[in-house]
Amino acid sequence: KIKMAEFLLELFSEEIPAKLQSTARVNLLTSFKNFFEKENINYKDDAKAFSTPNRLVICFKKIEREINKKSEEIRGPSTKAQDKAIEGFLRSNLIKKQDIYKKNTEKGEFFFYKKPSRKIKSEDVLKTNIPDILKNLSWKKSMKWGTHELYWGRPLKSILAIFDNKPLKFEFHHLSSSNSTYIDKDFEDKTRIFKSVNSYFSYFKKINVIIDNDLRKKYIKKKLTDLSNKKNL
């Protein structure tokens, strides 16, 4: 049986307008799904994106912990190339001369190397690539602030990232990810550590912060209906 892991990413910023939130949710989730497909990271189709005015969140409840990278054939320099080019090919792939072989193609004879199949931790692939995924996230309107080079919908203040109940650590511009986040947007000395997806959603539910924007809409609609009914009594 394949062991699966949870993945949660929260991007905490100053208040983002509702229209920007909805586009960002779709773009962020699509970017991660496309990345997982490209990298052959398998997950159960229960991935979701949420937002509050301050939080942009994606959650994958079941992702494979390891990726099976298939064997692949890598083309090197022409057999007529200088020794320097061949040595560079060997160095860049961390291989020796006995590992390469000659093969004829439509464009002539080249050296090739067969990269063996291997297993890679999904966690390591995420750490390396999340900064690029976030950098390429498109906003209808973005802003740059202070001396930072980061463009975002509104000033980004913290990144919470959890994979398999552990903090997923990476750098994104001036920010370092961790497994803690701000609890109160007005009191930024109030932070809390989260070790799992369930503890994150349970805690915010307990303090009446509804992370799921669809549930929040239903809640507000019900409150307005109840208020209207009281007025009509």
Side-chain angles (χ1 to χ4, degrees):
K1 192 178 178 181
I2 298 168
K3 289 183 177 179
M4 309 292 270
E6 293 178 328
F7 169 52
L8 177 77
L9 178 71
E10 182 213 74
L11 303 149
F12 183 96
S13 68
E14 289 185 9
E15 290 201 8
I16 298 172
K19 283 185 180 179
L20 279 186
Q21 283 179 49
S22 57
T23 309
R25 284 196 306 268
V26 172
N27 289 346
L28 188 65
L29 189 60
T30 302
S31 296
F32 270 91
K33 284 184 170 182
N34 289 344
F35 172 73
F36 288 162
E37 188 176 336
K38 176 175 158 279
E39 292 294 326
N40 199 30
I41 300 176
N42 296 316
Y43 64 92
K44 298 289 183 186
D45 196 23
D46 59 352
K48 289 182 181 176
F50 309 107
S51 67
T52 71
N54 296 93
R55 303 175 202 274
L56 182 57
V57 180
I58 57 163
C59 176
F60 288 76
K61 287 197 173 176
K62 288 183 179 177
I63 295 182
E64 282 185 2
R65 287 192 176 100
E66 289 183 329
I67 308 162
N68 290 314
K69 284 280 185 186
K70 292 177 182 175
S71 172
E72 58 179 317
E73 193 173 54
I74 299 171
R75 193 179 82 175
S78 163
T79 52
K80 294 176 183 175
Q82 292 183 358
D83 288 346
K84 278 185 181 178
I86 298 163
E87 285 165 14
F89 179 63
L90 298 176
R91 272 198 311 275
S92 64
N93 287 284
L94 303 174
I95 52 175
K96 295 179 180 177
K97 199 160 187 179
Q98 60 260 34
D99 297 321
I100 60 175
Y101 53 92
K102 297 173 184 178
K103 187 175 171 183
N104 279 310
T105 72
E106 290 176 1
K107 294 182 179 180
E109 190 179 52
F110 288 83
F111 285 111
F112 281 83
Y113 161 58
K114 191 148 193 178
K115 210 170 187 177
S117 61
R118 64 207 190 280
K119 286 189 176 181
I120 303 172
K121 288 182 178 179
S122 301
E123 177 184 355
D124 293 338
V125 178
L126 281 166
K127 277 181 193 174
T128 307
N129 290 280
I130 287 177
D132 281 335
I133 295 171
L134 297 183
K135 185 181 82 175
N136 294 321
L137 186 68
S138 91
W139 293 88
K140 282 185 177 178
K141 289 181 182 177
S142 62
M143 58 190 290
K144 177 178 175 285
W145 62 99
T147 56
H148 305 307
E149 293 301 313
L150 170 61
Y151 281 86
W152 202 254
R154 289 294 183 271
L156 187 61
K157 296 192 169 183
S158 83
I159 301 171
L160 174 143
I162 305 167
F163 185 87
D164 202 13
N165 300 332
K166 291 179 294 187
L168 186 71
K169 298 196 173 179
F170 58 87
E171 307 290 321
F172 180 56
H173 286 270
H174 59 288
L175 298 168
S176 299
S177 66
S178 70
N179 60 348
S180 73
T181 188
Y182 296 117
I183 299 307
D184 191 315
K185 65 183 178 69
D186 298 318
F187 298 96
E188 290 186 0
D189 55 331
K190 290 187 177 180
T191 61
R192 187 180 178 92
I193 290 170
F194 293 99
K195 293 181 180 178
S196 69
V197 170
N198 282 343
S199 67
Y200 176 87
F201 286 102
S202 298
Y203 177 80
F204 282 109
K205 186 179 178 182
K206 191 171 76 177
I207 63 167
N208 296 318
V209 175
I210 305 170
I211 301 290
D212 186 328
N213 37 282
D214 288 333
L215 288 178
R216 196 164 60 251
K217 274 184 190 173
K218 287 176 186 176
Y219 176 79
I220 293 167
K221 192 176 179 181
K222 185 178 182 301
K223 282 283 183 185
L224 291 172
T225 304
D226 291 346
L227 193 63
S228 176
N229 288 340
K230 278 183 183 178
K231 284 181 180 178
N232 293 329
L233 285 175

